[in-house]
Amino acid sequence: MPTKREDVKKTKYPGVQRRTSDGALLVHVRQINPRTGRKADIVRVVHGTIQDAVALRTSLIVQVKSGTIQRDSPAKRVTLGDYAKLWIVRKRDEGIREHTIDFYISALERRILPYLGKLFLEAITSRDIFHWKDQVMALKTKKGESYSRWTVAGWFAVMRNIIGDATLEYDLPRNPAQGVPGPKKPRKPRAERYLPLPKLREFLTLVQEHQPEHFAITLLLATFGLRWEEASGLHVEHIDEGAGELRVVQAHVRGRIFSTKNDSNKFLPLA
């Protein structure tokens, strides 16, 4: 790249100059990357025709505007915090449920970005991930209690998801989260997952006496073991009297209808 003004001559094509020392063409592109809002300042040397230089400049402009070129100058480096904003938008576009998006945002803002958000994507190492894991495992609730491993495992899943996507998108040499073991989820004995039948009968009796308007859906949840969003997504047409089945094929979340979790429809016998 020339250091003196007299080293180059302008051509009639914007962004294309000719170097006087050897006749090479210099292609210069300055564009704002719409994905980051930062300026890309790119210079390429072309040992060819003026048409080659113009074609290259046009191609570079298209790549910058589409976000394909990410690291041509130090100003183009992207932090995990910057990438998280784009990642959330993409997840919404993919049709991820809004309550899942809310969980992603909460995990990022409260548990991930405060520790890793200012690091450039290509600078994050496995040691950083291990250190982050140790820090969040040591967090306490307002009552001074440790968070459950289920909760920490959820944060870890979001971290591994966003780091994995960034690794693919930015063609990073390796995924720093790969190989870092997440917290093991404790598996409760099956007997602890349900109310004993006498306790369930007692609970249903209390609901019927004190909150009769909620009895029907409570009985439905208890009988079939449905998730709340599955039960609230039921309509009359989901009762198949001919087959004697209740068809659970959708979920209702905050006023919106989605497919059931993991697209796992259920056909439950009514008799």
Side-chain angles (χ1 to χ4, degrees):
M1 183 174 177
T3 57
K4 297 180 181 179
R5 185 175 296 275
E6 56 266 29
D7 286 338
V8 298
K9 289 175 126 183
K10 289 184 178 180
T11 69
K12 66 179 183 178
Y13 299 95
V16 179
Q17 299 172 313
R18 188 176 295 278
R19 192 160 57 191
T20 56
S21 59
D22 60 3
L25 294 164
L26 302 179
V27 176
H28 196 180
V29 172
R30 285 181 180 172
Q31 288 285 329
I32 299 296
N33 187 329
R35 299 182 65 192
T36 63
R38 295 173 178 172
K39 183 182 291 184
D41 196 350
I42 304 170
V43 176
R44 294 284 189 270
V45 179
V46 176
H47 295 280
T49 67
I50 193 77
Q51 287 75 20
D52 294 335
V54 172
L56 175 60
R57 186 171 186 272
T58 301
S59 175
L60 289 172
I61 290 173
V62 171
Q63 291 179 65
V64 172
K65 286 184 176 180
S66 66
T68 304
I69 294 181
Q70 298 291 346
R71 292 178 288 179
D72 261 75
S73 80
K76 293 307 297 170
R77 300 174 72 190
V78 178
T79 65
L80 183 62
D82 292 333
Y83 179 68
K85 300 171 187 175
L86 303 170
W87 187 74
I88 288 296
V89 171
R90 184 175 298 117
K91 291 302 174 184
R92 276 201 173 99
D93 291 342
E94 290 174 3
I96 301 296
R97 296 181 183 185
E98 198 59 35
H99 71 289
T100 303
I101 295 292
D102 290 343
F103 174 72
Y104 288 168
I105 293 172
S106 175
L108 286 166
E109 291 183 346
R110 300 177 59 203
R111 306 304 179 200
I112 299 173
L113 299 184
Y115 304 93
L116 302 172
K118 293 183 179 180
L119 296 178
F120 290 116
L121 292 176
E122 71 273 18
I124 299 174
T125 65
S126 294
R127 180 175 295 181
D128 295 321
I129 303 299
F130 273 108
H131 183 54
W132 169 81
K133 176 186 169 184
D134 291 340
Q135 288 178 304
V136 296
M137 287 287 289
L139 291 174
K140 303 292 184 182
T141 67
K142 292 181 179 180
K143 296 181 179 180
E145 301 173 349
S146 297
Y147 284 95
S148 73
R149 288 184 176 266
W150 284 96
T151 299
V152 179
W155 302 338
F156 194 89
V158 176
M159 180 279 300
R160 188 152 44 191
N161 196 346
I162 189 173
I163 293 290
D165 286 352
T167 300
L168 291 174
E169 184 171 347
Y170 286 83
D171 196 25
L172 302 181
R174 63 181 298 274
N175 182 346
Q178 188 172 3
V180 180
K184 292 183 179 179
K185 298 177 181 178
R187 187 172 180 83
K188 295 181 181 179
R190 182 167 293 274
E192 296 182 15
R193 298 183 184 181
Y194 304 96
L195 283 174
L197 188 56
K199 291 277 188 183
L200 178 59
R201 286 173 177 161
E202 181 182 347
F203 174 72
L204 290 173
T205 299
L206 289 172
V207 173
Q208 190 172 25
E209 291 177 356
H210 298 285
Q211 292 186 318
E213 70 275 14
H214 297 146
F215 178 72
I217 194 166
T218 304
L219 182 61
L220 182 69
L221 291 167
T223 302
F224 293 112
L226 298 179
R227 297 182 176 89
W228 171 258
E229 60 265 28
E230 293 174 339
S232 61
L234 290 171
H235 289 273
V236 174
E237 59 265 26
H238 295 146
I239 300 174
D240 189 337
E241 295 182 356
E245 290 180 337
L246 177 66
R247 297 184 291 111
V248 183
V249 295
Q250 65 184 26
H252 172 265
V253 182
R254 297 181 183 178
R256 298 175 63 187
I257 296 297
F258 299 91
S259 60
T260 56
K261 187 174 182 179
N262 301 323
D263 293 320
S264 55
N265 296 337
K266 301 173 183 177
F267 301 90
L268 305 172
L270 292 173

